[in-house]
Amino acid sequence: MKSNFISKFSFTLAALFALTACGTSEAPTEESQTNETAVEQNVEEENKAEEATEETEDVKEEASEEESEVAEAPNFEGRTLNVVATSDSYVPLFDEFTKETGADVEFLSMSSGEVISRTKAEGKAMADLWFGGGLDAFMAAKDDQLLEQYQSEMTDKLPVEYKDEDGYYFSKGLTVVGFVVNNSILEEKGLEAPKTWKDLADPKYKGEVIMSNPAISGTNYAALKGLLDLYGKEEGWELFSQINDNIDFYSKRGKDPQEKTAQGEFGIGIIPVDQKAFDAAEDYGLTVIYPEDGIPWVPEGVAIFKDSENADIAKAFIDFMLSEKAQNMIAEIDGKDTNQLIVPDIEGLDLGLPKDKLIEEDLSTFGSEREEILNKFKEIAGDKASEE
């Protein structure tokens, strides 16, 4: 009996050791899993900490860059930028420049032709900055060595077709040319509105068309040059000669065709088309027309006068002009369709300008052929194109 009891006790004790041994072998596995989880959590927390540190460093870097930009902003307090501009409507733009740089701005309104004539006659810079006007005048001014060269990171971003390759002038936007018609006048005389330049040459419009002198107005030089590029010189001059027969005189101010057509003095005006034209059309019962056979256009120039006293301020203004803020202001002030803007990704107005109707023009000859074209124009126009 005793032997049997000892055997049973030994068996039970062996079994107990076996179970204890099994339990001991499983415990390290659970502990290992716990340790692995802890390690993963630590790695995740370290990664998050690194990301947070990187974000903080990025914020600090951006703040540092902003502070640097502010520190590098030009300060022209107590100095004045003298500008020749095509209109006093740009006062808000110049005011913003004054706000950012401290420079006062004084300007004189003058046509492109007058700017060149006066600058050449005086033999010195008449201002620091030339703002606005047909690109042909700026090309001619470059050839006459009247302009200062300038290039910067901002001008480098401008598309090549909207700046001089040597940095003597830049564009602020496009001028496009079309018609405005007085609906009452045409209806009274039983005339339909012209849709094309060839329509405008019809003898039935004799005495009803008004156009500014292309020798004075950059816009109307663009119209003339556009016709020659559209139809070729031979056919283009023949067409213009027929249009000339319908014009009694060429006005000396660029705004005369729109104003005199609105006042009922003429049935048709050849004008720069922008929001102002559509506003006048609504106010005076006019219709604005984009010529269906082709729309002449020209980049509006901006340049620094050679040997100007404040060339450094003028250079700062050009960089400012090409900024997003300034471009948005120019689009609003000029009332331009998006297709008239020259800096990428800037939205203008929706005036229905058909981009596919813009004439394929040779801009390289806008300046070089200017004298030849204007001499031919004067030959055709005769006494109707007095500049006095």
Side-chain angles (χ1 to χ4, degrees), residues 178-181 185-186 189 191 194 196-197 199-212 220 240 242-251 256-257 260-261 265-271 384:
F179 314 145
V180 62
V181 301
I185 295 297
L186 294 188
K189 298 184 177 183
L191 298 173
T196 66
W197 291 99
D199 287 347
L200 206 61
D202 194 312
K204 67 183 179 182
Y205 294 120
K206 186 173 180 60
E208 292 299 335
V209 182
I210 180 171
M211 176 180 183
S212 294
N220 284 279
F240 179 75
Q242 294 170 353
I243 294 174
N244 173 74
D245 290 339
N246 293 335
I247 297 175
D248 287 341
F249 68 91
Y250 293 87
S251 67
D256 279 345
K260 292 184 179 296
T261 302
E265 296 182 39
F266 295 89
I268 305 164
I270 298 174
I271 66 164
K384 295 190 290 186

Side-chain angles (χ1 to χ4, degrees), residues 105-140:
V105 178
E106 294 183 2
F107 66 93
L108 176 67
S109 181
M110 189 177 296
S111 70
S112 301
E114 290 174 315
V115 171
I116 293 181
S117 298
R118 180 169 163 179
T119 303
K120 292 172 71 174
E122 295 181 359
K124 62 179 181 179
M126 60 183 298
D128 303 306
L129 184 76
W130 185 4
F131 187 79
L135 202 65
D136 59 291
F138 288 81
M139 290 177 168

Side-chain angles (χ1 to χ4, degrees), residues 223-234 236-237 240 373:
L224 182 54
K225 180 64 165 62
L227 283 181
L228 299 178
D229 284 340
L230 177 62
Y231 287 107
K233 288 188 176 180
E234 183 176 351
W237 280 121
F240 179 75
I373 290 173

Side-chain angles (χ1 to χ4, degrees), residues 118-303:
R118 180 169 163 179
T119 303
K120 292 172 71 174
E122 295 181 359
K124 62 179 181 179
M126 60 183 298
D128 303 306
L129 184 76
W130 185 4
F131 187 79
L135 202 65
D136 59 291
F138 288 81
M139 290 177 168
K142 175 190 174 182
D143 292 340
D144 290 334
Q145 300 182 349
L146 302 177
L147 306 179
E148 181 81 14
Q149 190 176 31
Y150 178 59
Q151 290 177 310
S152 70
E153 290 183 5
M154 294 298 288
T155 64
D156 287 344
K157 297 177 182 178
L158 198 62
V160 293
E161 61 267 33
Y162 302 135
K163 63 184 177 183
D164 174 49
E165 61 180 2
D166 298 317
Y168 283 98
Y169 52 79
F170 311 92
S171 177
K172 71 177 183 66
L174 303 183
T175 291
V176 298
V177 187
F179 314 145
V180 62
V181 301
N182 188 308
N183 300 323
S184 298
I185 295 297
L186 294 188
E187 184 178 352
E188 178 185 320
K189 298 184 177 183
L191 298 173
E192 295 181 354
K195 296 181 179 180
T196 66
W197 291 99
K198 287 191 173 182
D199 287 347
L200 206 61
D202 194 312
K204 67 183 179 182
Y205 294 120
K206 186 173 180 60
E208 292 299 335
V209 182
I210 180 171
M211 176 180 183
S212 294
N213 189 334
I216 299 175
S217 166
T219 297
N220 284 279
Y221 173 79
L224 182 54
K225 180 64 165 62
L227 283 181
L228 299 178
D229 284 340
L230 177 62
Y231 287 107
K233 288 188 176 180
E234 183 176 351
E235 185 179 351
W237 280 121
E238 182 179 348
L239 175 60
F240 179 75
S241 181
Q242 294 170 353
I243 294 174
N244 173 74
D245 290 339
N246 293 335
I247 297 175
D248 287 341
F249 68 91
Y250 293 87
S251 67
K252 300 172 186 176
R253 300 190 310 162
K255 58 186 178 182
D256 279 345
Q258 181 170 300
E259 289 185 355
K260 292 184 179 296
T261 302
Q263 293 163 2
E265 296 182 39
F266 295 89
I268 305 164
I270 298 174
I271 66 164
V273 178
D274 52 25
Q275 183 62 57
K276 297 182 186 69
F278 284 93
D279 290 343
E282 185 175 349
D283 293 340
Y284 296 98
L286 313 175
T287 298
V288 177
I289 298 171
Y290 292 114
E292 294 179 0
D293 49 348
I295 303 170
W297 59 278
V298 61
E300 301 152 8
V302 178

